[in-house]
Short mmCIF file of all heavy atoms in Angstrom, two decimals:
data_model
loop_
_atom_site.label_atom_id
_atom_site.label_comp_id
_atom_site.label_asym_id
_atom_site.label_seq_id
_atom_site.Cartn_x
_atom_site.Cartn_y
_atom_site.Cartn_z
N MET O 1 88.43 89.57 127.98
CA MET O 1 87.40 88.88 127.12
C MET O 1 86.38 89.91 126.60
O MET O 1 85.80 90.68 127.40
CB MET O 1 86.73 87.80 127.80
CG MET O 1 85.66 87.05 126.93
SD MET O 1 84.93 85.62 127.77
CE MET O 1 86.22 84.42 127.47
N ILE O 2 86.13 89.90 125.27
CA ILE O 2 85.28 90.90 124.72
C ILE O 2 84.12 90.09 123.90
O ILE O 2 84.49 89.12 123.14
CB ILE O 2 85.92 91.83 123.70
CG1 ILE O 2 87.11 92.57 124.37
CG2 ILE O 2 84.90 92.94 123.18
CD1 ILE O 2 87.93 93.47 123.53
N GLY O 3 82.95 90.47 124.13
CA GLY O 3 81.82 89.90 123.44
C GLY O 3 81.08 90.72 122.49
O GLY O 3 81.52 91.06 121.38
N ARG O 4 80.07 91.43 123.08
CA ARG O 4 79.22 92.27 122.24
C ARG O 4 79.98 93.48 121.58
O ARG O 4 79.50 93.84 120.54
CB ARG O 4 78.03 92.79 123.08
CG ARG O 4 77.07 91.65 123.53
CD ARG O 4 76.04 92.20 124.43
NE ARG O 4 76.64 92.61 125.76
CZ ARG O 4 76.04 93.40 126.62
NH1 ARG O 4 74.80 93.87 126.45
NH2 ARG O 4 76.68 93.67 127.82
N GLY O 5 81.04 93.80 122.22
CA GLY O 5 81.81 94.90 121.62
C GLY O 5 82.49 94.67 120.29
O GLY O 5 82.99 95.55 119.60
N LEU O 6 82.47 93.37 120.05
CA LEU O 6 83.17 92.94 118.68
C LEU O 6 82.14 92.63 117.61
O LEU O 6 82.60 92.54 116.44
CB LEU O 6 84.03 91.64 118.92
CG LEU O 6 85.18 91.81 119.84
CD1 LEU O 6 85.85 90.36 119.96
CD2 LEU O 6 86.22 92.78 119.33
N ILE O 7 80.89 92.70 117.95
CA ILE O 7 79.85 92.43 116.92
C ILE O 7 79.84 93.66 115.84
O ILE O 7 79.53 94.72 116.34
CB ILE O 7 78.49 92.18 117.50
CG1 ILE O 7 78.59 90.93 118.31
CG2 ILE O 7 77.40 91.99 116.42
CD1 ILE O 7 77.29 90.68 119.08
N GLY O 8 80.18 93.36 114.67
CA GLY O 8 80.30 94.58 113.80
C GLY O 8 81.53 95.37 113.88
O GLY O 8 81.74 96.37 113.21
N ASN O 9 82.43 94.97 114.80
CA ASN O 9 83.63 95.82 115.07
C ASN O 9 84.83 94.94 115.48
O ASN O 9 85.41 95.09 116.55
CB ASN O 9 83.31 96.79 116.26
CG ASN O 9 84.48 97.79 116.40
OD1 ASN O 9 85.23 98.03 115.45
ND2 ASN O 9 84.62 98.30 117.58
N PRO O 10 85.22 93.97 114.59
CA PRO O 10 86.41 93.11 114.84
C PRO O 10 87.67 93.99 114.84
O PRO O 10 88.71 93.52 115.28
CB PRO O 10 86.48 92.11 113.73
CG PRO O 10 85.59 92.66 112.74
CD PRO O 10 84.56 93.61 113.31
N PHE O 11 87.51 95.22 114.25
CA PHE O 11 88.70 96.20 114.16
C PHE O 11 89.15 96.50 115.63
O PHE O 11 90.35 96.76 115.80
CB PHE O 11 88.17 97.47 113.52
CG PHE O 11 87.61 97.35 112.19
CD1 PHE O 11 86.25 97.24 112.01
CD2 PHE O 11 88.44 97.18 111.11
CE1 PHE O 11 85.73 97.15 110.71
CE2 PHE O 11 87.88 97.12 109.81
CZ PHE O 11 86.52 96.96 109.62
N LEU O 12 88.40 96.36 116.64
CA LEU O 12 88.70 96.66 117.99
C LEU O 12 89.91 95.80 118.45
O LEU O 12 90.76 96.23 119.28
CB LEU O 12 87.52 96.49 118.93
CG LEU O 12 87.85 96.71 120.45
CD1 LEU O 12 88.32 98.14 120.71
CD2 LEU O 12 86.53 96.57 121.31
N ILE O 13 89.98 94.55 117.95
CA ILE O 13 91.00 93.63 118.40
C ILE O 13 92.35 94.26 117.83
O ILE O 13 93.32 94.30 118.57
CB ILE O 13 90.74 92.17 117.70
CG1 ILE O 13 89.46 91.65 118.22
CG2 ILE O 13 91.99 91.31 118.08
CD1 ILE O 13 89.04 90.41 117.52
N GLN O 14 92.32 94.61 116.62
CA GLN O 14 93.61 95.21 116.03
C GLN O 14 93.99 96.50 116.69
O GLN O 14 95.19 96.73 116.91
CB GLN O 14 93.38 95.35 114.57
CG GLN O 14 94.64 95.77 113.77
CD GLN O 14 94.39 95.97 112.34
OE1 GLN O 14 93.51 96.70 111.91
NE2 GLN O 14 95.12 95.13 111.46
N GLU O 15 92.95 97.29 117.09
CA GLU O 15 93.25 98.50 117.76
C GLU O 15 93.92 98.37 119.06
O GLU O 15 94.86 99.01 119.52
CB GLU O 15 92.01 99.35 117.85
CG GLU O 15 91.40 99.82 116.52
CD GLU O 15 90.01 100.35 116.58
OE1 GLU O 15 89.41 100.23 117.66
OE2 GLU O 15 89.55 101.06 115.59
N ILE O 16 93.44 97.38 119.84
CA ILE O 16 94.03 97.06 121.11
C ILE O 16 95.40 96.44 120.94
O ILE O 16 96.37 96.85 121.67
CB ILE O 16 93.12 96.09 121.91
CG1 ILE O 16 91.93 96.69 122.37
CG2 ILE O 16 93.91 95.39 123.17
CD1 ILE O 16 90.83 95.80 123.01
N ASN O 17 95.71 95.67 119.95
CA ASN O 17 96.98 95.12 119.63
C ASN O 17 97.90 96.27 119.25
O ASN O 17 99.08 96.22 119.64
CB ASN O 17 96.96 94.05 118.55
CG ASN O 17 96.46 92.70 119.08
OD1 ASN O 17 96.38 92.40 120.22
ND2 ASN O 17 95.98 91.95 118.13
N ASN O 18 97.35 97.21 118.52
CA ASN O 18 98.34 98.39 118.08
C ASN O 18 98.63 99.17 119.36
O ASN O 18 99.86 99.60 119.47
CB ASN O 18 97.49 99.24 117.14
CG ASN O 18 97.40 98.69 115.80
OD1 ASN O 18 98.09 97.84 115.41
ND2 ASN O 18 96.51 99.28 115.00
N TYR O 19 97.72 99.29 120.31
CA TYR O 19 98.10 100.05 121.61
C TYR O 19 99.19 99.23 122.29
O TYR O 19 100.14 99.87 122.73
CB TYR O 19 96.83 100.17 122.37
CG TYR O 19 97.21 100.62 123.80
CD1 TYR O 19 97.51 101.91 124.15
CD2 TYR O 19 97.27 99.61 124.84
CE1 TYR O 19 97.88 102.20 125.40
CE2 TYR O 19 97.61 100.00 126.18
CZ TYR O 19 97.92 101.31 126.45
OH TYR O 19 98.34 101.67 127.67
N VAL O 20 99.00 97.98 122.37
CA VAL O 20 100.00 97.15 123.09
C VAL O 20 101.38 97.24 122.45
O VAL O 20 102.40 97.25 123.14
CB VAL O 20 99.50 95.70 123.24
CG1 VAL O 20 100.58 94.77 123.84
CG2 VAL O 20 98.26 95.60 124.05
N ASP O 21 101.38 97.27 121.15
CA ASP O 21 102.69 97.35 120.37
C ASP O 21 103.19 98.74 120.24
O ASP O 21 104.29 98.81 119.60
CB ASP O 21 102.40 96.66 119.03
CG ASP O 21 102.05 95.18 119.05
OD1 ASP O 21 102.41 94.47 120.12
OD2 ASP O 21 101.46 94.61 118.18
N GLY O 22 102.53 99.73 120.79
CA GLY O 22 103.05 101.04 120.67
C GLY O 22 102.86 101.71 119.41
O GLY O 22 103.48 102.71 118.95
N LYS O 23 101.79 101.15 118.60
CA LYS O 23 101.53 101.80 117.30
C LYS O 23 100.32 102.70 117.37
O LYS O 23 99.53 102.56 118.24
CB LYS O 23 101.17 100.59 116.26
CG LYS O 23 102.36 99.65 115.96
CD LYS O 23 101.83 98.48 115.05
CE LYS O 23 102.96 97.61 114.85
NZ LYS O 23 102.51 96.47 113.99
N GLU O 24 100.28 103.65 116.46
CA GLU O 24 99.26 104.55 116.50
C GLU O 24 97.94 104.07 115.87
O GLU O 24 97.98 103.33 114.89
CB GLU O 24 99.60 105.92 115.74
CG GLU O 24 98.72 107.05 115.79
CD GLU O 24 99.23 108.33 115.15
OE1 GLU O 24 100.39 108.25 114.67
OE2 GLU O 24 98.52 109.36 115.23
N ASN O 25 96.81 104.46 116.44
CA ASN O 25 95.52 104.03 115.83
C ASN O 25 94.94 105.19 115.10
O ASN O 25 95.05 106.31 115.52
CB ASN O 25 94.63 103.54 116.99
CG ASN O 25 94.81 102.10 117.32
OD1 ASN O 25 94.81 101.25 116.45
ND2 ASN O 25 94.87 101.73 118.56
N PHE O 26 94.24 104.77 114.10
CA PHE O 26 93.47 105.82 113.23
C PHE O 26 91.98 105.32 113.17
O PHE O 26 91.77 104.19 113.24
CB PHE O 26 94.00 105.99 111.85
CG PHE O 26 95.45 106.39 111.84
CD1 PHE O 26 96.54 105.46 111.78
CD2 PHE O 26 95.81 107.75 111.90
CE1 PHE O 26 97.83 105.84 111.77
CE2 PHE O 26 97.19 108.14 111.93
CZ PHE O 26 98.22 107.19 111.85
N LYS O 27 91.15 106.29 112.94
CA LYS O 27 89.69 106.07 112.78
C LYS O 27 89.50 105.15 111.60
O LYS O 27 90.05 105.30 110.52
CB LYS O 27 88.92 107.28 112.57
CG LYS O 27 87.39 107.03 112.58
CD LYS O 27 86.69 108.41 112.34
CE LYS O 27 85.10 108.16 112.36
NZ LYS O 27 84.36 109.47 112.24
N VAL O 28 88.73 104.01 111.82
CA VAL O 28 88.51 103.06 110.70
C VAL O 28 87.61 103.76 109.73
O VAL O 28 86.51 104.19 109.94
CB VAL O 28 87.86 101.78 111.20
CG1 VAL O 28 87.52 100.85 110.09
CG2 VAL O 28 88.74 101.16 112.34
N PRO O 29 88.04 103.75 108.38
CA PRO O 29 87.15 104.45 107.38
C PRO O 29 85.90 103.57 107.13
O PRO O 29 85.81 102.40 107.31
CB PRO O 29 88.12 104.23 106.08
CG PRO O 29 89.49 104.00 106.59
CD PRO O 29 89.33 103.32 107.94
N TYR O 30 84.82 104.23 106.80
CA TYR O 30 83.56 103.66 106.61
C TYR O 30 83.64 102.58 105.41
O TYR O 30 82.93 101.63 105.53
CB TYR O 30 82.50 104.64 106.37
CG TYR O 30 82.64 105.57 105.11
CD1 TYR O 30 82.41 105.17 103.82
CD2 TYR O 30 83.12 106.90 105.35
CE1 TYR O 30 82.60 105.97 102.73
CE2 TYR O 30 83.25 107.72 104.29
CZ TYR O 30 83.04 107.32 103.00
OH TYR O 30 83.31 108.17 101.89
N SER O 31 84.52 102.90 104.55
CA SER O 31 84.66 102.00 103.41
C SER O 31 85.19 100.63 103.86
O SER O 31 84.73 99.59 103.29
CB SER O 31 85.61 102.55 102.39
OG SER O 31 86.90 102.82 102.87
N GLU O 32 86.05 100.59 104.81
CA GLU O 32 86.61 99.29 105.42
C GLU O 32 85.53 98.59 106.24
O GLU O 32 85.49 97.40 106.23
CB GLU O 32 87.83 99.69 106.33
CG GLU O 32 89.12 100.02 105.57
CD GLU O 32 90.32 100.02 106.54
OE1 GLU O 32 90.29 99.17 107.49
OE2 GLU O 32 91.22 100.82 106.25
N LYS O 33 84.64 99.37 106.92
CA LYS O 33 83.65 98.73 107.65
C LYS O 33 82.60 98.02 106.74
O LYS O 33 82.22 96.89 106.97
CB LYS O 33 82.86 99.77 108.52
CG LYS O 33 83.66 100.39 109.63
CD LYS O 33 82.87 101.37 110.41
CE LYS O 33 83.64 102.02 111.55
NZ LYS O 33 82.94 102.94 112.40
N ILE O 34 82.30 98.68 105.59
CA ILE O 34 81.43 98.12 104.62
C ILE O 34 82.15 96.84 104.01
O ILE O 34 81.45 95.81 103.82
CB ILE O 34 80.97 99.11 103.54
CG1 ILE O 34 80.02 100.07 104.31
CG2 ILE O 34 80.39 98.51 102.38
CD1 ILE O 34 79.60 101.23 103.43
N GLU O 35 83.38 96.96 103.62
CA GLU O 35 84.00 95.79 103.06
C GLU O 35 84.13 94.63 103.98
O GLU O 35 83.98 93.50 103.60
CB GLU O 35 85.47 96.26 102.63
CG GLU O 35 86.29 95.15 101.93
CD GLU O 35 85.59 94.51 100.71
OE1 GLU O 35 84.82 95.16 100.01
OE2 GLU O 35 85.80 93.26 100.49
N MET O 36 84.39 94.97 105.30
CA MET O 36 84.43 93.84 106.27
C MET O 36 83.15 93.09 106.44
O MET O 36 83.00 91.92 106.70
CB MET O 36 84.96 94.38 107.66
CG MET O 36 85.46 93.24 108.59
SD MET O 36 86.69 92.10 107.84
CE MET O 36 87.93 93.23 107.20
N CYS O 37 82.02 93.92 106.34
CA CYS O 37 80.65 93.26 106.34
C CYS O 37 80.54 92.27 105.26
O CYS O 37 80.01 91.14 105.44
CB CYS O 37 79.62 94.33 106.28
SG CYS O 37 77.98 93.71 106.38
N LYS O 38 81.06 92.63 104.15
CA LYS O 38 80.90 91.68 102.95
C LYS O 38 81.76 90.51 103.16
O LYS O 38 81.41 89.36 102.88
CB LYS O 38 81.41 92.46 101.66
CG LYS O 38 80.44 93.54 101.22
CD LYS O 38 81.01 94.13 99.93
CE LYS O 38 80.19 95.32 99.38
NZ LYS O 38 80.70 95.81 98.15
N VAL O 39 83.05 90.70 103.73
CA VAL O 39 83.88 89.62 104.06
C VAL O 39 83.29 88.63 105.03
O VAL O 39 83.35 87.39 104.79
CB VAL O 39 85.34 90.14 104.55
CG1 VAL O 39 86.15 88.95 105.05
CG2 VAL O 39 86.09 90.94 103.45
N HIS O 40 82.78 89.13 106.15
CA HIS O 40 82.08 88.43 107.07
C HIS O 40 80.99 87.48 106.40
O HIS O 40 80.89 86.33 106.73
CB HIS O 40 81.53 89.27 108.21
CG HIS O 40 80.99 88.49 109.37
ND1 HIS O 40 80.67 89.16 110.53
CD2 HIS O 40 80.75 87.26 109.57
CE1 HIS O 40 80.11 88.34 111.34
NE2 HIS O 40 80.20 87.12 110.86
N THR O 41 80.25 88.16 105.67
CA THR O 41 79.16 87.48 104.98
C THR O 41 79.58 86.29 104.11
O THR O 41 79.08 85.18 104.14
CB THR O 41 78.25 88.49 104.10
OG1 THR O 41 77.87 89.54 104.96
CG2 THR O 41 76.99 87.76 103.62
N ARG O 42 80.57 86.52 103.32
CA ARG O 42 81.15 85.52 102.36
C ARG O 42 81.74 84.34 103.24
O ARG O 42 81.54 83.18 102.89
CB ARG O 42 82.24 86.13 101.47
CG ARG O 42 81.69 87.12 100.44
CD ARG O 42 82.67 87.42 99.37
NE ARG O 42 83.78 88.13 99.75
CZ ARG O 42 83.95 89.42 99.75
NH1 ARG O 42 82.99 90.16 99.37
NH2 ARG O 42 85.12 90.02 100.20
N LYS O 43 82.38 84.61 104.27
CA LYS O 43 82.90 83.56 105.15
C LYS O 43 81.78 82.73 105.73
O LYS O 43 81.81 81.46 105.85
CB LYS O 43 83.71 84.16 106.26
CG LYS O 43 85.14 84.61 105.87
CD LYS O 43 85.85 85.15 107.08
CE LYS O 43 87.27 85.71 106.71
NZ LYS O 43 88.15 84.64 106.25
N LEU O 44 80.70 83.47 106.08
CA LEU O 44 79.50 82.73 106.64
C LEU O 44 78.81 81.89 105.64
O LEU O 44 78.36 80.80 105.89
CB LEU O 44 78.62 83.76 107.28
CG LEU O 44 77.63 83.22 108.38
CD1 LEU O 44 78.15 82.43 109.39
CD2 LEU O 44 76.71 84.35 108.99
N ILE O 45 78.73 82.33 104.40
CA ILE O 45 78.16 81.61 103.29
C ILE O 45 79.02 80.38 103.05
O ILE O 45 78.39 79.29 102.87
CB ILE O 45 78.01 82.49 102.05
CG1 ILE O 45 76.89 83.50 102.26
CG2 ILE O 45 77.73 81.57 100.77
CD1 ILE O 45 76.87 84.62 101.13
#
């Protein structure tokens, strides 16, 4: 179970799933972080 580690970083879920599935992880681009902040905001609105 993850709590505070996901605030601002839901990407961690996908990264863990990639590890479990044997897929390679790459550093999340800052542009994706900024876009996800917008997505989160729109969903909350």
Side-chain angles (χ1 to χ4, degrees):
M1 179 175 280
I2 309 178
R4 292 171 296 162
L6 294 179
I7 300 176
N9 188 27
F11 304 97
L12 179 57
I13 300 170
Q14 188 175 59
E15 290 169 350
I16 290 173
N17 285 340
N18 284 345
Y19 166 79
V20 172
D21 295 339
K23 298 178 182 177
E24 189 173 357
N25 274 312
F26 300 94
K27 185 178 180 180
V28 179
Y30 59 79
S31 57
E32 283 190 34
K33 293 181 179 182
I34 286 175
E35 180 56 31
M36 195 50 56
C37 181
K38 293 181 181 182
V39 170
H40 186 173
T41 306
R42 291 195 294 268
K43 286 181 182 292
L44 198 53
I45 289 172

